[in-house]
Amino acid sequence: MGNLKKMILGGLTLILACQTGYAKSPEKHGISGIVRMACGPIVGTQESGLRVFKGIPYAAPPVGALRWKPPQESAPWNEVRTCRDFSRACPQPGGVDPDKFSEDCLYLNVWTPAKNAGEKLPVMVWIHGGGFTFGSTSWPEYHGANLAKKGVVVVTLNYRLGPLGFLVHPSLSKESLLHVSGNYGLLDQITALKWVQKNITVFGGDKNNIALFGQSAGSRSVSLLMIAPKAAGLFHRAIAQSGGPIIGSEYLSPNFNGDPAVGIKMGLRLAERLGCDTATDVAGAMRAKSAREILQAADPKTDIFDDTALFFAPVFDGQVLPENPVAAFQGGRQHDVPIIFGSTLNEGSIYLIHEPEISDEKYRKFVTSRFGDHDAQAFALFPARQPGEAARAIDKMITVAANAEPARFVASSMKNKKSKAYLYQFTRLPDTAMARKLGAHHGVDLAYVFGNMNHDKGYTQADKKLSETMMSYWVNFARTGDPNGPGLKRWPAYESKTDLSLEFGDSVRVQKNLYKKECDFVTQCRGILEMQK
């Protein structure tokens, strides 16, 4: 541990002395040229006019004694580091191949169209989804080339997942200077944003114009970082696709609610499953376990009908997340940055992919477990009156309660801020195998936002045109904080009194009162209806 401390302190000293910038010539290391960052020189590749750098470390490997610790500075280097391949993904269920998964996973990637370090292009930083349990920046749908060609620098990052990223346990809190545990994955994201602030200029990006965007758990991360004090000033725009700041997530799982007490309960159960609960040093005993053993003990399930499964996600710990997001957003304590927030038409269908038949009893039990004393009204708003309608009813319930209503809530909360909010719904149904089965499902919009459609033959010219339109809105927003621009349908800023949003479907059009009755009901169940007036 002493040697590690010396490395970190030495690295900090070197960072202060480092110069950053593109090398004047590509030298012998590659046609992309050498980039001299704060922590050391790197070389990437050149692809279709872009400079691409993959697998850049933004923090020290969180291994050994650094497991379940806040991320530390990456040790600097002197020799040119080759950054042409994605790093291994963070450990996750099914991630047992050491060539693909590793706890040494805190790396990011950069796509830039800039030819020199002084161009000050807008920067878009992507946080991937996966329920805080799965995911990696190496997945083809997240490759940033097509967005970067629109004139922005694109950054994608890995962060710790599942029990390795979000474990709450008294033994970990006891050894913490702040007496808290969990939220390591969020701290990774914040550290990556600090890396962007320190280094993005050398890639031709503007550190004062950072747009943070993400989908699913990435969307929830973006929303939570809007109320995280440690993230203040690290980004200037926010785009949240299909996921609020944990608000609404309890409709997916009662354990997905951000309550520290629930987090502790999950942590205690994991320690018991690992056989570490009676150890003198519980934290040390758990660190002695392999990542595979921890994941096997956690045994994460994606069955939304199983309310007993362990679930590891951000918690409102009083430090990284000082308060419940309902209170934070309602009280106007979020960062004053413009935001795009939206969802898809069939957000719930993906959770039912292995549920071809849902009985009336199972449907009723699920709805009652989510709405309790309000279940009679929930049955009326999300009805399953005929055989075979239960899946559609639950799909709509999740669409509204876990996604559309939280989006409206956050957008409404911006009324007392200078920055504006823009609300949307994605309804386009591409002719892909997944969409034919699940509709405009959770994640269907990713191919359109990144323009990555070559992996599926079901996309048509109409889909590619819509993708161009969405990328234009997203890039305009990254550049100015306003998605509107020449040749685009006017997207009105959100106001509760008008309740307007933009639909991305077979056409792009403004719509009014999206799921108003259903959203009002969900909001009322949470006791904040007065805020919407």
Side-chain angles (χ1 to χ4, degrees), residues 70-349:
Q72 304 294 314
E73 288 273 2
S74 178
W77 60 89
N78 294 316
E79 296 297 319
V80 176
R81 184 182 187 124
T82 300
C83 293
R84 294 173 178 162
D85 298 299
F86 291 109
S87 72
R88 289 175 288 183
C90 295
Q92 52 197 273
V96 295
D97 184 345
D99 292 330
K100 296 181 180 179
F101 302 90
S102 171
E103 284 189 82
D104 180 7
C105 60
L106 300 186
Y107 296 82
L108 51 74
N109 318 291
V110 178
W111 288 261
T112 178
K115 303 303 180 185
N116 60 71
E119 295 190 28
K120 290 190 175 182
L121 298 177
V123 181
M124 299 183 72
V125 179
W126 174 254
I127 302 178
H128 70 74
F132 296 105
T133 304
F134 302 89
S136 170
T137 60
S138 64
W139 289 7
E141 53 262 51
Y142 303 144
H143 293 187
N146 292 316
L147 267 180
K149 290 175 184 177
K150 298 289 185 182
V152 295
V153 179
V154 177
V155 179
T156 65
L157 62 99
N158 283 338
Y159 57 97
R160 282 174 281 181
L161 303 167
L164 293 169
F166 297 96
L167 178 64
V168 180
H169 193 280
S171 66
L172 296 175
S173 299
K174 184 178 180 180
E175 68 182 26
S176 164
L177 294 176
L178 298 176
H179 307 294
V180 297
S181 55
N183 290 334
Y184 306 108
L186 282 182
L187 289 170
D188 293 343
Q189 296 167 11
I190 292 170
T191 299
L193 286 170
K194 290 180 178 178
W195 183 97
V196 170
Q197 285 290 318
K198 184 182 295 183
N199 293 284
I200 206 62
T201 300
V202 74
F203 297 96
D206 184 352
K207 68 178 184 178
N208 296 312
N209 193 4
I210 309 296
L212 188 60
F213 70 133
Q215 185 266 345
S216 192
S219 177
R220 291 180 170 87
S221 297
V222 169
S223 305
L224 290 172
L225 292 177
M226 286 190 68
I227 60 171
K230 293 179 184 295
L234 298 181
F235 62 98
H236 313 93
R237 332 246 186 250
I239 303 175
Q241 302 171 214
S242 300
I246 305 300
I247 299 169
S249 300
E250 67 273 18
Y251 293 104
L252 298 174
S253 169
N255 295 327
F256 195 179
N257 62 6
D259 184 348
V262 174
I264 290 173
K265 181 180 177 181
M266 300 293 107
L268 292 173
R269 286 172 59 189
L270 179 64
E272 182 179 359
R273 290 185 181 184
L274 286 167
C276 299
D277 55 314
T278 59
T280 302
D281 178 6
V282 178
M286 289 194 294
R287 287 195 177 98
K289 298 292 184 179
S290 68
R292 178 184 295 190
E293 288 174 306
I294 291 169
L295 290 172
Q296 287 176 339
D299 188 26
K301 296 180 175 67
T302 56
D303 182 0
I304 61 172
F305 297 100
D306 182 3
D307 294 344
T308 66
L310 296 186
F311 197 88
F312 300 93
V315 295
F316 315 130
D317 60 0
Q319 295 293 333
V320 180
L321 300 174
E323 61 180 331
N324 186 298
V326 173
F329 280 98
Q330 191 172 2
R333 289 182 287 280
Q334 71 272 36
H335 305 316
D336 194 353
V337 300
I339 186 167
I340 288 175
F341 215 131
S343 55
T344 71
L345 180 64
N346 302 110
E347 292 281 5
S349 62

Side-chain angles (χ1 to χ4, degrees), residues 4 21 49 52 131 148 168 179 212 214 221 256 288 328 363 371 413 430 467 508:
L4 178 61
V52 183
V168 180
H179 307 294
L212 188 60
S221 297
F256 195 179
Y363 153 73
F371 289 99
S413 76
S467 174
V508 177

